[in-house]
Amino acid sequence: MGEPPRERADAARNRTKVLAAAARLFRERGVDGVSMDAVAAEAGVGKGTLFRRFGDRSGLAVALLDERERELQEAILAGPAPLGPGARAAERLTAFVEAYLDYLLAHLDLVRMSETASPGARYRIGAYRFWHRHVAILLAEARPGCDADPLAHALLAPLAAEHMTALVAEYGPARARKAVRALVTG
């Protein structure tokens, strides 16, 4: 098996311009206030280029979130304890929820858009599969004999962006965070 094909230089430049334009527009106007046409115009690329590369606004959201998700995944796999290896499973689980809440609350509108683009979109996102597997492994270690896979989904459910959006709107981020934290720590 060979290496995957390298991205053309012009395609890489366009991708960088589009992501920078989308991030700026989403930050200035909010996720719901930005069209694909506006992103294409801001980036100076054709709409066809934008749609071929990202598909729709949720594809843009996924691409914008990718780097943040990779950073969190790297911290889980190789960072310092308790988020990374070296701590007890229960401590790692609590650290994961805290770190995920930091990520989620910092990017709530983008995560919501990526998770609700179509029915079941949240569960098809590669990052969600990573979070689920990580949580299931920790639950199996922390609670021997539990049915870790469905329990991991149940634990991740309140971390869904749509749910967190409703909690934050009604109770504010601090109370929403405290409520989710209580589900993990008891």
Side-chain angles (χ1 to χ4, degrees):
M1 295 180 83
E3 290 184 31
R6 293 180 54 90
E7 185 176 41
R8 292 185 345 248
D10 63 327
R13 277 191 305 276
N14 284 342
R15 181 179 196 283
T16 300
K17 289 189 325 188
V18 165
L19 291 177
R24 185 172 45 257
L25 290 173
F26 288 153
R27 189 174 45 256
E28 291 170 1
R29 301 180 191 173
V31 169
D32 293 332
V34 177
S35 68
M36 292 291 274
D37 288 343
V39 173
E42 181 78 10
V45 300
K47 288 190 299 186
T49 297
L50 183 63
F51 281 98
R52 274 191 305 279
R53 181 66 186 247
F54 299 99
D56 56 19
R57 288 181 331 136
S58 67
L60 273 172
V62 169
L64 285 167
L65 293 168
D66 185 58
E67 187 175 336
R68 304 292 83 72
E69 290 167 345
R70 288 177 196 263
E71 289 168 359
L72 181 52
Q73 290 170 2
E74 183 60 31
I76 288 167
L77 294 172
L83 184 57
R88 293 178 321 127
E91 293 172 34
R92 291 194 74 200
L93 188 57
T94 300
F96 165 74
V97 169
E98 289 293 334
Y100 190 82
L101 281 166
D102 290 343
Y103 156 78
L104 178 61
L105 291 171
H107 308 288
L108 190 55
D109 287 344
L110 286 175
V111 177
R112 191 182 91 243
M113 184 172 26
S114 73
E115 289 183 356
T116 62
S118 63
R122 178 178 198 228
Y123 306 100
R124 291 189 301 273
I125 297 169
Y128 179 85
R129 290 192 301 272
F130 179 92
W131 313 138
H132 175 266
R133 191 74 205 123
H134 177 62
V135 169
I137 289 167
L138 294 176
L139 286 169
E141 185 180 327
R143 301 177 185 180
C146 76
D147 195 356
D149 282 334
L151 188 56
H153 283 298
L155 191 141
L156 290 167
L159 293 169
E162 189 75 10
H163 179 254
M164 190 57 67
T165 298
L167 281 179
V168 167
E170 188 158 346
Y171 303 109
R175 285 181 72 193
R177 177 187 289 273
K178 186 176 179 182
V180 172
R181 186 184 305 127
L183 291 173
V184 177
T185 61

